[in-house]
Amino acid sequence: MKFYVCIKQVPDVNAPLHIKDGELIQDADRNILNAYDASAIEAALVLREKHGGEIEVVLIGTDKAKETIRKALAMGADSGIFIQADTDVQFDSFSYAKILSTFFADKEYNFILCGKQSQDTDAGLTGSMLAGLLDLPYVTNAVGLEMTGNSLIVKRQGDAGQELIELPSPGLVTCSNDMNDPRIPNLKGIMQSKRKPVETIPVNDLPTDSTAIKTKILGYEVKPAREAGKKFDGEPDEIARQVARLLDEAENVV
Amino acid sequence: MSTLLTYISVNNGKIKRSSLEVLSRCNELAQQHNLISAAIIIDKNASEIAEKLKAYGPSVIYIIENPVFNNHLNTPLLKALSLAIEKIKPKIVAFASTESTKDILGALAANRGAASLADVSEFELSGTGVKAKRPVMASKIISSVEANDSLVLLTVRSGSYDVSTQQADSNIEEIPFSFNDDELKITLKEIISASGDKIDLSEAETVIAAGRGVKDEEGRKLVEELASVLKAGIGASRALTEAGVYDPSLQIGQTGKVVSPQLYIGIGISGAIQHVSGMANSKVIVAINKDPDAPIFDIADYGIVGDLYKVLPPFIEELKKVKSEK
Ligand SMILES: Cc1cc2nc3c(=O)[nH]c(=O)nc-3n(C[C@H](O)[C@H](O)[C@H](O)COP(=O)(O)OP(=O)(O)OC[C@H]3O[C@@H](n4cnc5c(N)ncnc54)[C@H](O)[C@@H]3O)c2cc1C
Ligand SMILES: Nc1ncnc2c1ncn2[C@@H]1O[C@H](COP(=O)(O)O)[C@@H](O)[C@H]1O
C-alpha cells in the first residue's frame, strides 16, 4: 500500500494575534503541523503497522514550512516531498489543489489522505477539490479507517449519524481530528527523521497556471469580543435560583 | 437575467432552517440586483418538499427526484448539481453549511472550474462576483474575501441570516436525472444512527452543552433533566465526544457544529477557543463552572461559579417553577 498524506503548516491559533494595516500579524511566529493532518498521518501509521506499506508526506510551503515535514517524518512517515513556494504568493485552497493535482498526475498510489480542513482558515476545500481534479472517489470528514483487501472502510461523520463507506483504491480521504490522538515524536523518531529523504520541487517546475487562484483576501478584522456579563459567586442554591429567574424575567429565553 | 440558486437541504423530509436562511438572503439580493432567486431540491421526495418551499418566495423551484438521494452520497449529488448548473447557468449556488454540503463543495468547484467560498457568515454581490466575510483563526478573526468568477459556490454558516416568509407562485421545474449503481464509485455499507439527533443542534432554540466537568451518570442525568425542562438540544465539548460519552455528531465547535441558539448553557466546559468558535453567536450565554478563572466566563452573560452537581438541582427546580407559572 502506498499512502500519500498532504500536510500543511499553519499558524498556531493560540498564539497572540493582531491586525496591522489590514494584515494579520502573529506576535510570536508560532507555526505548527495542521492538527487535522496530524490525525491523517496517525491514521496512515496505524494502517501501515497493521498491513504494511509506505507513507510519503507532501507539503507546499515556503522554506520555513520544511520543519513541518520533519515533524511528520519524526512521527514515522517514510519520506517527504517539499513543494517549494515563493514567499509572496497568496495561494487559496483551489491553487493548492491544482498544484497537488499536477504533482500527483504521474504518481501511483493507493490512497491520498488530507486533513478535513486547515486549522487557521477552516476552508475544508482542498481535499475534495483534489479528488475532483484527479477524478478519484473520495470520502470527507473521516473519523475511522479500516482496511479490507484493497479498499478502505471509512467511517464518516455525517450530519446526524455516521456513515460507513467502502472506498476502493485509488481514492482520497479527508480526516477529522476526532479519528485519533496523534503520537508525539520520540527521540528515536526525531533522530531517524534526519536521515529520511526529502525531495524538493520548486513550485514553478510544476506546470501550474496563474488562473488557479480564485479567491482573494481583501483584509482582516478582529471579531468584536463578547463582553463578560455578570458573575455569580456564592451559595449554590441561591445563585442558581437567581440566574434561573433572570433568564425568564430579564432575558425571556426560557 | 441571471439566477441566484439556493440548494435546499432536507433531513428526513424536513427542510433545514439553515437553508431557508440562505434562500431568504438570496431573495433579498435578487430583489436588490434585479436577478432571479431560484431554489433546487435534490431528494427522493423533492416534489412534495417543493410545495412547502413556496412559502419562502423563490421564483423557480427546480427539483431532481430519485431514490438514490435517500441517503447522502457524494457521487450522485455531484452529478445532479453539475447537471443543474449546466441547465440553469446560475451566477451563484449558495448552500447552508452542513456536513453533506461541505462534502461536495470542493469537488463541485473543481469539476465546474468555479470559485468557492466555504462557511461564510455574510455575503453580497460585487460587480463581477461575490464578496463575503468568513471567520478564521478559530473565529477570533473575520476575513473579507472576494471571488470573481462566472460561477461562485458558497456555503453559509447557520444563524447568519433571518428566515423571511413570502408566499410565491413559484414555478416548479423537474430536471430529468438518471443514475446507475455502477456510477457510484463508493459504497454506503451502513448508517450508524446517532442517539442524539432528535433535535437538530444547529437549529435548536436552546442548547445545553456538557463538558469534561460532567463526570458521571449522575451528571449526565442532570444535563438531560435540564434539557427536557427547557426542551433543549444537548451538545458536548470535544472532551466528552472523544471519550465516547456523547455521540460525535453532538460536538460543538471548530471540528463539530456551529450553533446559534437564543440560549446556550455550558456546563463544566472551560471555554477553549475551538469550542467557543462554534457557539459564540448564541444570544444569551450561561456558564456553570467551578473555576472562577475559566475562560468561558469572559464571554458568558451569566456566569455561575460553582460545582455543577450542587448548582444544577436548584437551577432545574427553579426553572420548572418558572415554566409552571406560565
Ligand atoms: C484543531 C482542534 C479542533 C478542536 N475542535 C473542537 C470542537 O469542535 N469542540 C470542542 O469542544 N473542542 C474542540 N477542540 C478541543 C478544545 O481545544 C478543548 O480541548 C475542549 O473544548 C475542552 O473540553 P472541556 O471544556 O469540556 O474540557 P476542559 O478544558 O478539561 O474543561 C473542563 C472544565 O470543567 C470544569 N469543571 C470540572 N468539574 C466541575 C464541576 N464539578 N462543576 C463545575 N465545573 C467543573 C473545570 O473547571 C474546567 O473548566 C479542538 C482542538 C483542536 C486542536
Ligand atoms: N500547502 C499545502 N500543502 C499540502 N497540503 C495542503 C496544503 N494546503 C492544504 N493542504 C491539504 O488540504 C487540507 C486543508 O484544506 P483547506 O481547509 O481547504 O485549506 C489540509 O489538511 C491538507 O491535507
Side-chain angles (χ1 to χ4, degrees), chain A residues 6-8 34 36-37 58-61 93 96 100 113-118 121-127:
Chain A
C6 300
I7 62 172
K8 187 184 183 187
N34 186 28
Y36 301 95
D37 303 350
V58 187
L59 176 145
I60 307 164
S93 298
Y96 284 126
L100 290 169
L113 306 188
C114 288
K116 83 153 172 155
Q117 67 201 55
S118 295
T121 62
D122 286 344
L125 292 167
T126 308

Side-chain angles (χ1 to χ4, degrees), chain B residues 167-213:
Chain B
Q167 187 70 35
D169 196 16
S170 327
N171 268 332
I172 297 179
E173 249 186 70
E174 176 153 13
I175 300 176
F177 177 82
S178 66
F179 196 84
N180 295 325
D181 278 354
D182 57 5
E183 294 174 76
L184 266 179
K185 296 200 228 169
I186 57 174
T187 324
L188 180 63
K189 310 288 274 185
E190 191 186 333
I191 293 185
I192 309 164
S193 266
S195 48
D197 60 353
K198 282 159 267 168
I199 297 180
D200 186 341
L201 268 186
S202 52
E203 301 189 5
E205 292 284 306
T206 307
V207 170
I208 313 290
R212 204 191 304 274

Side-chain angles (χ1 to χ4, degrees), chain B residues 159-312:
Chain B
S160 298
Y161 291 99
D162 291 332
V163 175
S164 56
T165 49
Q166 174 190 0
Q167 187 70 35
D169 196 16
S170 327
N171 268 332
I172 297 179
E173 249 186 70
E174 176 153 13
I175 300 176
F177 177 82
S178 66
F179 196 84
N180 295 325
D181 278 354
D182 57 5
E183 294 174 76
L184 266 179
K185 296 200 228 169
I186 57 174
T187 324
L188 180 63
K189 310 288 274 185
E190 191 186 333
I191 293 185
I192 309 164
S193 266
S195 48
D197 60 353
K198 282 159 267 168
I199 297 180
D200 186 341
L201 268 186
S202 52
E203 301 189 5
E205 292 284 306
T206 307
V207 170
I208 313 290
R212 204 191 304 274
V214 177
K215 284 191 188 65
D216 49 19
E217 187 59 36
E218 186 195 342
R220 290 195 291 282
K221 277 221 178 91
L222 289 169
V223 168
E224 251 160 58
E225 199 181 346
L226 177 60
S228 93
V229 173
L230 295 177
K231 297 194 174 51
I234 296 179
S237 74
R238 183 169 152 74
L240 291 192
T241 53
E242 202 182 16
V245 177
Y246 286 95
D247 191 88
S249 59
L250 302 183
Q251 184 175 174
I252 294 171
Q254 192 180 6
T255 298
K257 287 195 163 105
V258 174
V259 300
S260 50
Q262 294 296 303
L263 173 63
Y264 164 98
I265 305 179
I267 299 169
I269 286 186
S270 60
I273 50 168
Q274 293 91 352
H275 180 79
V276 169
S277 146
M279 49 62 85
N281 285 339
S282 307
K283 187 167 162 265
V284 176
I285 296 176
V286 177
I288 303 173
N289 196 306
K290 67 179 181 189
D291 173 8
D293 296 322
I296 196 152
F297 287 131
D298 298 341
I299 58 156
D301 301 290
Y302 297 89
I304 303 180
V305 183
D307 183 340
L308 68 95
Y309 292 89
K310 298 210 177 86
V311 170
L312 280 179

Side-chain angles (χ1 to χ4, degrees), chain A residues 13 140 162 178 226 232 251, chain B residues 103 140 192 238 282 302-303:
Chain A
V13 297
T140 63
Q162 293 172 340
D178 286 343
R226 274 185 91 108
F232 297 78
E251 304 286 353
Chain B
D103 186 34
K140 287 201 284 192
I192 309 164
R238 183 169 152 74
S282 307
Y302 297 89

